Amino acid sequence: LVPFYKKICEVTGINNLIKADVAPVNSQVDLTRKVVIEFDASHGPNLPWSFKPMGASLSAHPGQLVQMDYEVVNTLNVAVTGQAIPSYAPRNAAQYFKKLECFCFQQQTLAAGETKRFPVVFAVDPDLPKDVGTITLSYTFFTVAGREKAL
């Protein structure tokens, strides 16, 4: 009965084992255009950390899942906690920038001299207006008051 079952599945498309090597297509990705995403990083005056994106920019289709890593180095001789605040240009791009994972979602503590890499995983909403071809994502890290610890 196995050959008979396979033939029925092939014809009806139910539990199709024959076409298992065909990768699913994400219908949410707009393959007709690309958006350039530029990355920027800075820190507040009371937080002399080294903070930078691991790439200046990338190009992605709206709806495509993308990751960019940021490197943060605590250059102080004490542990410090900071909070990253994002901003976007053009300003209205924020509503179309969908982050799934981001170090900005919570405070980050780095030990004295510690280096960490933090991912940002996001997708640009396919409803982004067609006249927007570039989005700049900028993060500023600020000290969380009262969270410094001497080592």
Side-chain angles (χ1 to χ4, degrees), residues 46-62:
N46 297 330
L47 187 64
W49 283 1
S50 171
F51 177 43
K52 64 181 180 181
M54 300 314 296
S57 67
L58 58 78
S59 182
H61 295 287

Side-chain angles (χ1 to χ4, degrees), residues 1-18:
L1 290 176
V2 173
F4 181 69
Y5 176 74
K6 284 184 178 179
K7 192 62 172 174
I8 289 174
C9 290
E10 180 182 344
V11 171
T12 62
I14 299 172
N15 194 21
N16 196 342
L17 303 174
I18 297 170

Side-chain angles (χ1 to χ4, degrees), residues 58-74:
L58 58 78
S59 182
H61 295 287
Q64 179 181 353
L65 195 60
V66 180
Q67 177 174 322
M68 175 58 68
D69 292 337
Y70 279 74
E71 183 179 82
V72 184
V73 180
N74 180 359

